[in-house]
Amino acid sequence: QQVGKVGSIPITVKQILDGRFSSLSDLAENVASGLSVGTRGMRLRDLAEICGASIGEVADAADELQMHRLVEVDRDRVSVIHDLFRRALYGRLGPGRAAVLHETVGRQKERAKGNMAAGELAIHYELAGIPTAAAEFGWIAGRRALSHGAVSEAAHFFELVTRNEQDERRRARASAHWATAMHLCRDMQKASLLLESAATKLRRVGLEGEARRLEIQRISALQETATLAVDDLVERLGAIKQEALASSDWEAVAHALDLELRMLQLDERLESALALFPEFRAVLRAGNPESRAIAYQGLAVGRLLDDPEQALVAAVQAVDLADKRSAGQRFTSMNRLLIVLLQ
C-alpha cells in the first residue's frame, strides 16, 4: 500500500463504487475522501478536523459508509475495507482537493508522531505541493532506511528529496545518495547512469571531492556490467588518482587504488596488481586515518598474492583504523579480515 498511488483499478471495482456512492450523503463522501489519502485508517477526531464537522457527525457518516460496505469501524478508528477501494476513492479526487487533504493529514501526523513518521510525511508533503517540508522529512526517512539496510526504501526517499530539495548543493548531494543507494541495490545499469549524473551535479556546485568518489563507484558499476574493457577502466581510475593527488585527496586515491587492485586481480594480472603496492605505501605515509584504513583494506587482499602474513597484518590495521562513525567502513574492514582468515 502506497500513499498517493492509484494504479490500475478494475472496471468492476469502479462500477461497485459508483453504485455505493450514488446514495451517500455529502459528509459521508467527504469522510471517504479523507480516508483515501492514507493507508492505515484514521481516528474519528482527525476525520472531523478534515471534514470541518463534529465527531458525532463524522461517527454517523462512518456508520453510513459501513452500511454501504465501504469502510470498517473499530471503535474510534475508521478504515477503507480494501486497498483497491481506497485507491479507487483516491482516483476520484481532483488535484486541488487531493493536495489540501495531503497537507491536512500531513500536519496531523507531524503533530502526533513527528520524525517517527518521516517517510509518510515526506510523501504527504510532496503530494501537497510543499517541497521544503517534503525534502526535510525525505532526508530523515532516507538516512534512517539506509542505516537499517533498507536500501531500496532509501533510494525511494533520496529520489523524492532530489525532486523537492530547493538548495542546489543539497539537491546535488541528494542525487548522490540516490545513486549510491541504487548501487547498493545492485541495479548496476541504472546506478551507472545515476552516478554519472550525480557526479556532474556535484562538480557543478564545486563539490569535486564528493564527485570523485561517485566516479569511482561508477567505474565499479561499469566493471560489474562488463560495459568497458579493464584497460579503459584502469585508465579512468588513473585520471581520477591524478586529480585527487593534485588536491591531496588521499581518500579518493585510496578508493581508486583499492578498486584498481581488485579489478586487476579478477583479470588475473598479478604483476600489474603487485606494481600498485608502492602507491598504497604512499597513501599510508601521507594520508589521514580514513585513507590509511582504505589503503590497508586494499593491501589486505593484495598481499595475499605475495605474503599472507603481511595480508593479515594489513587486515588487522584496517579494522583498527576503521572510522568508528562509519558502519560501512567497519563492515568493509571486517569483511577483508574475514577474507584473509579464510584463505
Side-chain angles (χ1 to χ4, degrees), residues 36 73 77 225 325 329:
S36 73
V73 181
R77 193 166 194 84
T225 56
R325 295 167 298 173
Q329 196 64 261

Side-chain angles (χ1 to χ4, degrees), residues 150-156 178-188 191:
V151 290
S152 294
E153 183 179 343
H156 168 74
W178 177 22
T180 298
M182 290 306 301
H183 191 233
L184 292 172
C185 287
R186 314 302 297 164
D187 186 347
M188 293 305 171

Side-chain angles (χ1 to χ4, degrees), residues 264-281:
L264 292 171
Q265 284 179 295
L266 286 170
D267 205 41
E268 298 185 349
R269 299 197 208 170
L270 303 187
E271 289 187 9
S272 297
L274 291 169
L276 293 175
F277 287 179
E279 294 184 60
F280 276 103
R281 295 189 188 101

Side-chain angles (χ1 to χ4, degrees), residues 248-298:
S248 297
D249 184 358
W250 290 104
E251 291 175 34
V253 174
H255 278 300
L257 279 170
D258 180 50
L259 177 57
E260 185 176 357
L261 177 66
R262 286 183 284 122
M263 287 196 303
L264 292 171
Q265 284 179 295
L266 286 170
D267 205 41
E268 298 185 349
R269 299 197 208 170
L270 303 187
E271 289 187 9
S272 297
L274 291 169
L276 293 175
F277 287 179
E279 294 184 60
F280 276 103
R281 295 189 188 101
V283 175
L284 295 178
R285 286 193 301 270
N288 58 15
E290 175 80 8
S291 60
R292 291 172 63 214
I294 299 164
Y296 276 124
Q297 289 166 8

Side-chain angles (χ1 to χ4, degrees), residues 2 14 50 53 55-56 73 104 126 130-131 148 166 177 193 219 232 247 295 303 309 324:
Q2 288 184 298
K14 293 180 181 178
I50 289 171
I55 293 178
V73 181
T104 304
E126 180 181 45
I130 309 173
H148 293 160
Q166 302 298 292
H177 280 73
L193 295 172
I219 291 171
D232 293 329
S247 302
R303 293 308 300 265
E309 289 187 6
K324 298 301 185 289

Side-chain angles (χ1 to χ4, degrees), residues 312-337:
L312 180 58
V313 171
V316 172
Q317 289 276 22
V319 172
D320 288 342
L321 284 168
D323 185 353
K324 298 301 185 289
R325 295 167 298 173
S326 169
Q329 196 64 261
R330 293 196 301 274
F331 176 81
T332 302
S333 294
M334 293 301 297
N335 178 264
R336 300 294 174 86
L337 177 59

